[in-house]
Amino acid sequence: MNVGFFGPPEAQRCYAHHVPSVLLARPRAVLICNPGPQEFRQAHFALRTLAERLAARGAHVLRFDYVGTGDSAGDPDIGSLDRWANDVSDAIDELRALAGVSRITVVGLRLGAAVACRAVARGARAHELVLWDPV
């Protein structure tokens, strides 16, 4: 797993890139959108485990913190659905660059599902969208 940041200094988002442990003829990439600050702590273990299992099956997986949450830059007060949808779009671009793939599957849990939907509705390029227990 590689950890890093993407975005401008005032809004850097922290990410964890789970590198695949097997190489596939057609590499896959999955972006995981967490459920937001209220439920993140309870969901962290499940999302990390999902990322590890997908990487073990050959997928590049990116988990990240929205701006103003977790280890990302920014004041918590600047967080909003629109702002986090922009974060999802930027995370898709970052994963595309890290993995060298064009097709991205986006998985959103709870509030993360709503944020992922908003990002895709606003033009984020995702091949598949998985909505896990959306609110």
Side-chain angles (χ1 to χ4, degrees), residues 9 28-29 35 37 48-49 51 58 95-96 100 105 110 120-121 124 129 133:
R28 296 177 172 219
R48 189 184 77 227
T49 300
L95 179 54
R96 191 171 277 119
T105 297
R110 305 278 299 143
V120 170
L129 186 57
D133 196 24

Side-chain angles (χ1 to χ4, degrees), residues 122-134:
R122 293 168 69 189
R125 294 181 339 161
H127 177 69
E128 296 173 312
L129 186 57
V130 178
L131 307 178
W132 180 3
D133 196 24

Side-chain angles (χ1 to χ4, degrees), residues 74-122:
D75 189 282
D77 294 337
I78 66 171
S80 69
L81 291 180
D82 285 331
R83 179 63 191 242
W84 293 343
N86 290 340
D87 293 348
V88 171
S89 295
D90 292 346
I92 289 171
D93 293 341
E94 184 71 16
L95 179 54
R96 191 171 277 119
L98 289 169
V101 301
S102 59
R103 296 170 65 150
I104 306 285
T105 297
V106 178
V107 177
L109 173 62
R110 305 278 299 143
L111 183 61
V115 172
C117 280
R118 185 171 290 221
V120 170
R122 293 168 69 189

Side-chain angles (χ1 to χ4, degrees), residues 20-87:
S21 56
V22 296
L23 296 177
L24 300 175
R26 290 177 42 189
R28 296 177 172 219
V30 178
L31 176 69
I32 296 177
C33 300
N34 72 60
Q38 295 298 326
E39 297 179 308
F40 178 74
R41 183 179 291 176
Q42 293 82 6
H44 183 265
F45 178 79
L47 295 178
R48 189 184 77 227
T49 300
L50 174 63
E52 291 168 350
R53 289 183 179 178
L54 289 169
R57 289 184 169 87
H60 287 267
V61 183
L62 192 76
R63 296 182 295 120
F64 72 100
D65 295 335
Y66 305 112
V67 71
T69 69
D71 293 321
S72 289
D75 189 282
D77 294 337
I78 66 171
S80 69
L81 291 180
D82 285 331
R83 179 63 191 242
W84 293 343
N86 290 340
D87 293 348

